[in-house]
Amino acid sequence: MKKVRTRFAPSPTGYMHIGNLRTALFTYLIAKQNDGDFILRIEDTDQERYVDGAVDVIYKTLRDVGLNWDEGPDVGGPVGPYVQSERMGMFKKYAVELVEKGEAYYCFCDKERLDEVKAIQEASGIMPMYDRHCRNLSKEEVQAKLDAGVPYVIRQKVPLEGEVTFHDALYGDITVDCSTLDDQILIKTDGMPTYNFANVVDDHLMGISHVVRGNEYLASAPKYNLLYKAFGWEVPEYIHVEHIMKDKQHKLSKRDGDASYEDLMQKGYLKEAVINYIALLGWAPKGENEIFSLEELIKEFDIQGLSKSPAIFDPMKLKAINGKYIKALTPEKFAEYAIPYIKQTVKREDVDLEEISALLQARTELFTDIPESVDFVDELPDYDIELYTHKKMKTNPENSLDSLKAVLPVLEAIDENDWTIDNIHEKLFELIAQKEVKNGIILWPLRVAVSGKAFTPGGGIEICHIIGKQDSIERIKKGIEKLS
């Protein structure tokens, strides 16, 4: 059995799009579950779209999520170079070989003529396609033009009749009428190969067995197969995957900050959660479990689980998965992530950041939510007294005022040196028992008074301990003043 060799071949045109990262992930998983090789190839022949630093973004992103390549530009390998611009000398000879086999031809049509043909076809309602003007030039005519230095391209000679069939692992056999296919350019006037031609040659020379790519390339697959057939090369297995969409009508948008891996990292997601979620975009595991480490994905991934429908990017599901990963962190690891976010709004030095972190872990789904959730620690925000109204707790501004008046002397009586969670808890629950009320009657007003918020990490007791006795007393007094 032929060894499985897959490749991820991005163009260095900027950030790492979520769709590109998913292609890399699927490509990696296919290789690793078959004990195969995962190859990184940089396709940088489109110099107009080349972005400085983009190759480093590709390296960093793949390494960050654990998609380490077996062969590539920086690690080498037996079929390099792995940067397409460094392979330029080899492509033209393969195109000339096709010319000699009668599977390609020289085309000397200039841009003016091609534009004129296209305009006539469009005016006639015909799908624009090269009219094959140079397809049947004699050898003598061709040689004369070459000798005269007339600029040319080399075009693929697609059969004029019949059908071409190619197989896709997801879509099955697809048959296309050859008359609908254009004689695509293989070598441009500057001697550079087109993307489609270089792709075929490189995949063959690198021994690629499986090709994962977007289904926008389904239309190009028949011409790829004709090239493989013309050379007498083995065709790789194709897996054309559907797009990732923001919703049923719109693609992901960089403007909305949801199109790239870098965007998601800046929003406070864990890389493990991101790679887990991306795997679920267009792929369904066999069981009900959707939480997988990369190692587990290697075992679980199955091409048959891929969908033919566009995948909808669901930020809420990603956030929920991220929350599960956050809860699974050790307290120490969570603190390592969380404390820099805590410090964005908590500047005072007399509070224990690790104590705040410990309260946050069970309630955090996204790290970037942390600064706002703890911004009350430094300074009590202004708040509406309606916060004291809680139907479930059966509190309202009137009984909350009574509760705070009862709480104040209890907390004032606790010695500064005994200001511990246990002591605060003990004294407040003695008060609750004494007044014969439900916990919420006392504890909800306390939470609001010391935080100015309805939702906080920890309850009123924990907050009192974090901000200290003096601050707690002052805030309760402000609450009483507000409610009076």
Side-chain angles (χ1 to χ4, degrees):
M1 182 179 175
K2 182 178 178 181
K3 184 173 185 179
V4 171
R5 286 173 61 82
T6 66
R7 53 78 170 165
F8 177 52
S11 298
T13 55
Y15 61 92
M16 178 70 83
H17 191 280
I18 289 301
N20 289 344
L21 184 55
R22 184 188 65 171
T23 298
L25 174 60
F26 288 173
T27 303
Y28 175 87
L29 295 177
I30 291 170
K32 294 305 157 187
Q33 69 184 198
N34 291 286
D35 295 321
D37 298 325
F38 175 58
I39 297 160
L40 176 63
R41 184 173 76 220
I42 302 298
E43 298 194 338
D44 62 342
T45 53
D46 189 348
Q47 290 298 309
E48 290 184 4
R49 297 179 62 221
Y50 182 89
V51 174
D52 286 336
V55 172
D56 291 332
V57 170
I58 293 168
Y59 289 164
K60 182 181 183 303
T61 302
L62 294 182
R63 285 203 171 100
D64 200 32
V65 297
L67 304 185
N68 298 308
W69 48 101
D70 300 294
E71 301 172 25
D74 57 337
V75 299
V79 291
Y82 295 89
V83 178
Q84 207 167 59
S85 61
E86 297 174 10
R87 301 171 64 84
M88 287 302 97
M90 66 180 69
F91 295 111
K92 188 171 182 179
K93 72 174 183 178
Y94 285 103
V96 172
E97 180 183 329
L98 290 180
V99 173
E100 293 170 350
K101 288 183 173 184
E103 302 285 354
Y105 60 94
Y106 293 97
C107 172
F108 300 94
C109 296
D110 57 24
K111 185 178 184 301
E112 184 179 357
R113 183 185 180 282
L114 294 174
D115 288 343
E116 183 180 336
V117 170
K118 181 179 179 181
I120 293 172
Q121 290 174 333
E122 289 178 338
S124 305
I126 301 172
M127 178 71 71
M129 185 183 293
Y130 178 59
D131 64 355
R132 299 181 168 98
H133 177 73
C134 295
R135 180 170 172 134
N136 296 312
L137 293 177
S138 67
K139 288 185 178 180
E140 291 75 20
E141 289 175 301
V142 170
Q143 193 58 53
K145 289 181 180 293
L146 292 176
D147 292 342
V150 178
Y152 66 86
V153 298
I154 297 179
R155 290 183 180 271
Q156 181 179 4
K157 187 180 282 188
V158 174
L160 300 178
E161 300 176 342
E163 298 175 330
V164 57
T165 298
F166 68 94
H167 180 78
D168 178 87
L170 186 56
Y171 292 89
D173 289 336
I174 298 177
T175 299
V176 178
D177 193 320
C178 290
S179 64
T180 65
L181 302 178
D182 196 5
D183 283 2
Q184 68 174 343
I185 294 173
L186 306 179
I187 298 294
K188 295 179 284 189
T189 53
D190 60 2
M192 297 282 277
T194 56
Y195 170 84
N196 287 334
F197 185 56
N199 222 264
V200 168
V201 174
D202 279 346
D203 282 349
H204 168 71
L205 295 178
M206 293 185 174
I208 302 303
S209 63
H210 295 68
V211 173
V212 181
R213 59 187 177 209
N215 70 353
E216 67 269 23
Y217 289 103
L218 276 171
S220 302
K223 291 182 277 191
Y224 287 163
N225 274 30
L226 287 170
L227 287 173
Y228 280 107
K229 182 180 177 181
F231 282 118
W233 295 342
E234 185 177 350
V235 179
E237 181 166 2
Y238 297 125
I239 304 102
H240 289 89
V241 293
E242 268 286 357
H243 293 291
I244 300 175
M245 306 289 286
K246 187 178 183 70
D247 53 46
K248 291 183 178 180
Q249 286 79 37
H250 304 93
K251 292 183 178 180
L252 291 178
S253 168
K254 173 66 176 174
R255 181 180 301 173
D256 294 333
D258 53 16
S260 79
Y261 175 76
E262 290 90 341
D263 291 332
L264 297 179
M265 289 298 98
Q266 289 171 8
K267 286 183 175 182
Y269 289 98
L270 287 169
K271 60 188 179 184
E272 295 86 357
V274 170
I275 208 71
N276 187 155
Y277 179 64
I278 287 175
L280 301 176
L281 291 173
W283 172 70
K286 292 176 181 177
E288 294 183 3
N289 179 41
E290 291 188 323
I291 304 300
F292 301 101
S293 66
L294 186 58
E295 291 72 24
E296 290 167 338
L297 281 172
I298 292 172
K299 297 176 183 176
E300 294 288 332
F301 182 76
D302 183 357
I303 291 173
Q304 303 309 313
L306 293 173
S307 172
K308 297 178 185 177
S309 301
I312 304 299
F313 185 90
D314 183 353
M316 296 307 294
K317 184 168 183 178
L318 171 58
K319 193 173 182 179
I321 289 175
N322 197 66
K324 290 181 179 179
Y325 273 85
I326 284 176
K327 289 175 180 62
L329 294 172
T330 64
E332 294 76 19
K333 192 65 179 178
F334 176 79
E336 187 180 316
Y337 283 114
I339 286 177
Y341 288 95
I342 295 171
K343 287 181 175 179
Q344 289 181 22
T345 50
V346 177
K347 306 297 183 183
R348 54 194 287 183
E349 297 180 356
D350 62 331
V351 297
D352 187 339
L353 299 184
E354 291 189 1
E355 182 180 357
I356 298 174
S357 172
L359 295 175
L360 284 166
Q361 186 166 5
R363 299 167 176 82
T364 300
E365 287 189 319
L366 204 55
F367 287 113
T368 46
D369 291 340
I370 289 176
E372 186 177 356
S373 72
V374 297
D375 61 1
F376 65 87
V377 174
D378 277 16
E379 186 177 349
L380 182 69
D382 188 27
Y383 63 92
D384 194 296
I385 62 170
E386 281 307 310
L387 273 184
Y388 286 101
T389 300
H390 195 299
K391 290 182 180 179
K392 187 177 179 181
M393 302 291 185
K394 297 183 179 180
T395 63
N396 55 54
E398 289 74 26
N399 62 18
S400 291
L401 176 59
D402 293 337
S403 293
L404 291 182
K405 285 181 175 179
V407 164
L408 183 60
V410 170
L411 295 185
E412 285 179 324
I414 300 175
D415 188 271
E416 190 87 49
N417 295 325
D418 295 326
W419 191 258
T420 65
I421 288 180
D422 288 344
N423 277 340
I424 298 170
H425 183 278
E426 180 185 340
K427 298 302 181 184
L428 288 177
F429 273 80
E430 285 177 1
L431 174 65
I432 291 168
Q434 176 190 329
K435 296 182 76 67
E436 297 181 340
V437 295
K438 290 191 174 182
N439 299 348
I441 293 291
I442 295 295
L443 298 182
W444 181 258
L446 176 62
R447 179 203 290 257
V448 174
V450 294
S451 71
K453 290 175 174 284
F455 303 101
T456 58
I461 293 173
E462 290 85 1
I463 293 170
C464 283
H465 183 254
I466 287 170
I467 63 177
K469 178 179 178 179
Q470 181 179 345
D471 212 352
S472 298
I473 299 301
E474 288 178 2
R475 293 184 184 195
I476 291 170
K477 287 179 178 179
K478 284 183 181 178
I480 292 171
E481 186 179 333
K482 263 183 177 288
L483 292 169
S484 297

